[in-house]
Amino acid sequence: MTTFVDEVRLYLRAGDGGNGCMSIKREKFKPLAGPDGGNGGDAGDIVLVADPNVTTLLTYHHSPHQRSESGGFGMGDFRNGSKGADLELPVPVGTVVRDSDGEVIIDLDTPGLRYVAAQGGVGGLGNAALATSKRKAPGFALLGVPGDEAEIVLELKVVADVALVGFPSAGKSSLIAAMSAAKPKIADYPFTTLHPNLGVVEAGNHRFTIADVPGLIEGASEGRGLGLEFLRHVERCEALLHVLDCATLEPGRDPLSDLDIILRELDSYEVPEGQIPLTERPALVALNKVDVPDARELADFVRADLESRGFRVFEISTVSHEGLRELGFALGDLVEQGRAERAEETDQRERIVVRPRAVDNKPFEIRTEGGTYGTIYRILGRKPERWVAQTDFANDEAVGYLSDRLAKLGIEDALVKAGAQAGSMVVIGAGNGQIFDWEPTLASAAEVMTAHGTDPRLEERTRATRAERKAAYHEWMDAKAAAREQLEQERRAGLWQDADLVADQQQREAAAAANADAGHDDENAR
């Protein structure tokens, strides 16, 4: 079963902000007493904390998906939503945080250091907070902003003062067990440590940590064996202790050849920029297992060669504890020297100055992209993207409020300068984003239309005087009289006949004939 993990990939999802509430206060005799919708609560952040009590990333190996608490919804009667709790993820001191592309984000090498890996969403405002002197009772509220999503890689680099370097089964685990209270796995058969073990050593007034890291083999700098998994744990150590096995039974191996291979692999490993190469750091040599007669004889034989290379040599035995006291004091002196030098570098380190955002910093940018259906104008910026996420597009009043906010930010003027026309496709946000068919306001439309034609809404209009209106009326009446006269002359000339007039004439002639017949009958009767 896995007990130590020094690299893990985390998938973080911060909580969403709570939605604001749209509510109107209703009381007896006051059915519409004004807006009283509360604000939504902010969501919790996901924070990485360097904890000295944590030594492994095993917890996140089994639970790589982490999510913080969302904010509560706003309610009526001016009740705001609850704030989501932050999710703190304790990690070992010495954890390096990288993004999904492998770029270093932060190095948590100091106990208590905190880093916000995913920021929680902001809660939306209720209609009570949106009320103004002109908008006394808003019929909408803002939605909560979704939380950040992040994919990060945690890489553990053991923070220790001294690193034990040597071949597998050289006795490093036995040495750390003999010098400290650590209880690493030790057996009477050849095997290699699979994960670092830390131990605290007290030598007089010196107190330092010592790391038993996995064994090193030839080709480790190229990834053979545990390879880079071993070497990255050596980066942070102040000093190195080369543990050489003087009682090995493997053919072709001896302390000098083992040291040459180890130094070659250390020299081939590239440390991060600004750190001292591994071969240039203070180092001691421990000739181990001198409790064996043949091993002591070999240690006496190679001691002179090692000292001629500039190494300080100690003959030790983890069984009889021979030489361990002197070795502890020597390592303590190296650690104290390294700490003093590091303190001077810390004092000379350039301070980080946090400055406010520049006044002339643009809150957004517009990118022109070519698409299948024409030019696309993409708007990128934290403010417009957050405003779009807060808008309920099913509410026309909320959409109008968004339009006013974007116009005040200067987006419409920027679109005009970018060459956008009425009906152009505008996308706010990266990826799919929120798509709009841009319809400029009157002020922006004036700039668009005057550049490419005329707008009848902007043409100058003058009102006619009373005399002009009277003259136009008389002219219109004269034109109608002339038209009637012309029609009458054409009718008299027989060019056309009006069916109604002919029918009326026939009726009048029939009536006259009937009257004449009636008169003749009366005379005959007399």
Side-chain angles (χ1 to χ4, degrees), residues 506-519:
Q506 290 177 354
Q507 290 179 0
R508 285 193 297 269
E509 292 176 354
N515 292 334
D517 293 339

Side-chain angles (χ1 to χ4, degrees), residues 189-304:
Y189 55 87
F191 75 99
T192 183
T193 302
L194 299 179
H195 58 82
N197 296 303
L198 292 178
V200 179
V201 179
E202 294 185 3
N205 296 328
H206 303 305
R207 182 184 177 91
F208 57 91
T209 58
I210 189 170
D212 163 30
V213 293
L216 187 65
I217 64 174
E218 187 175 3
S221 60
E222 300 175 357
R224 291 187 59 187
L226 294 177
L228 303 178
E229 284 75 5
F230 157 77
L231 291 172
R232 69 163 174 255
H233 293 298
V234 187
E235 290 181 6
R236 304 181 183 277
C237 298
E238 297 288 347
L240 302 179
L241 176 61
H242 297 281
V243 181
L244 304 180
D245 188 0
C246 293
T248 180
L249 300 178
E250 298 182 18
R253 279 191 55 191
D254 60 81
L256 295 179
S257 62
D258 289 353
L259 181 62
D260 292 337
I261 294 175
I262 292 173
L263 293 177
R264 186 162 56 249
E265 296 302 324
L266 295 178
D267 187 61
S268 300
Y269 181 74
E270 296 182 1
V271 298
E273 184 178 357
Q275 294 189 12
I276 303 175
L278 299 180
T279 54
E280 298 180 9
R281 300 184 185 186
L284 301 178
V285 173
L287 299 175
N288 194 18
K289 304 180 182 179
V290 294
D291 54 292
V292 180
D294 294 340
R296 183 179 295 276
E297 182 179 353
L298 181 59
D300 295 337
F301 179 76
V302 300
R303 184 185 183 95

Side-chain angles (χ1 to χ4, degrees), residues 5 14-16 28 33 35 51 69 89 144 195-196 206 232 285 290 312 323 341 348 383 395 501 509 518:
V5 175
D16 301 334
K28 188 176 182 180
D51 189 349
E69 185 178 351
L89 304 179
H195 58 82
H206 303 305
R232 69 163 174 255
V285 173
V290 294
R312 188 176 176 184
E341 295 176 358
Q348 298 174 0
K383 277 189 176 181
N395 189 311
L501 294 177
E509 292 176 354

Side-chain angles (χ1 to χ4, degrees), residues 36 49 90 218 270 291 294 324 336 443 468 497 511:
D36 66 342
V49 183
E218 187 175 3
E270 296 182 1
D291 54 292
D294 294 340
L324 297 185
E336 291 299 330
E468 291 174 347
Q497 291 184 351

Side-chain angles (χ1 to χ4, degrees), residues 395-416:
N395 189 311
D396 293 338
E397 189 176 353
V399 176
Y401 180 72
L402 171 64
S403 178
D404 294 341
R405 299 176 85 179
L406 296 177
K408 291 180 181 179
L409 194 61
I411 288 182
E412 290 215 354
D413 296 337
L415 287 173
V416 172

Side-chain angles (χ1 to χ4, degrees), residues 30 54 57 199 202 245 283 287 294 304 342 381 434:
K30 291 183 180 180
V54 180
L57 300 173
E202 294 185 3
D245 188 0
L287 299 175
D294 294 340
R342 187 169 54 185
Q434 185 67 38

